[in-house]
């Protein structure tokens, strides 16, 4: 029903910036919230940022002041602006979308992930 495709990952030096994009397609009108998660090697997937349909965003504590999440509703694209990157930000970053399906069942979809590598 909804498909997500991330882009924008890559290799960057510490202190640098990257902007990730997530293009949503399909039944995008269903989406209630979108967000970014990341998973570093050997670690659990963790929340990076979320944004609701009303534009309210949340950023994980370790990334506040460095990362910003925004959404272009007209183009159905989610962005993650990452500044002052640190080696510990190295991970695969995943886009996520959720909505309520039939009988208000929670539905979600993940993108395929885009790798970010920060060198020291």
């Amino acid at each position: 029903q909804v498909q997500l495709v991330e882009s924008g990952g890559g290799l960057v030096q510490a202190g640098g910036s990257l902007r990730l994009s997530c293009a949503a397609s399909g039944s995008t009108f269903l989406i209630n919230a979108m967000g970014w998660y990341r998973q570093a090697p050997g670690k659990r997937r963790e929340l990076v940022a979320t944004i609701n349909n009303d534009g309210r965003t949340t950023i994980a504590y370790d990334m506040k002041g460095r990362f910003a999440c925004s959404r272009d509703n007209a183009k159905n694209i989610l962005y993650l602006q990452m500044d002052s990157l640190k080696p510990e930000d190295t991970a695969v970053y995943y886009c996520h979308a959720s909505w309520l399906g039939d009988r208000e069942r929670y539905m979600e979809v993940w993108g395929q992930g885009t790798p970010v590598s920060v060198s020291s």
Side-chain angles (χ1 to χ4, degrees):
Q1 290 177 311
V2 176
Q3 297 80 41
L4 304 174
V5 178
E6 303 99 329
S7 61
L11 176 64
V12 64
Q13 289 188 331
S17 298
L18 279 176
R19 188 176 80 158
L20 305 183
S21 299
C22 172
S25 61
S27 301
T28 57
F29 62 92
L30 295 170
I31 296 173
N32 294 132
M34 298 186 73
W36 291 97
Y37 291 72
R38 70 184 185 184
Q39 188 167 18
K43 295 189 176 181
R44 296 177 64 179
R45 190 171 296 189
E46 63 175 349
L47 174 68
V48 175
T50 63
I51 185 167
N52 292 333
N53 282 346
D54 58 7
R56 285 181 297 167
T57 61
T58 60
I59 305 291
Y61 179 81
D62 290 346
M63 298 150 224
K64 281 186 177 180
R66 300 190 299 122
F67 290 13
C69 183
S70 62
R71 182 174 170 183
D72 185 329
N73 290 322
K75 296 181 179 179
N76 292 315
I77 299 177
L78 179 71
Y79 299 102
L80 182 68
Q81 178 65 42
M82 305 187 293
D83 299 320
S84 302
L85 282 162
K86 305 175 182 180
E88 48 266 44
D89 294 318
T90 295
V92 177
Y93 285 71
Y94 296 91
C95 182
H96 176 266
S98 62
W99 64 94
L100 295 179
D102 293 343
R103 287 170 280 185
E104 298 193 340
R105 184 175 61 175
Y106 179 79
M107 305 291 288
E108 63 178 352
V109 65
W110 295 89
Q112 82 287 353
T114 185
V116 171
S117 182
V118 184
S119 62
S120 58

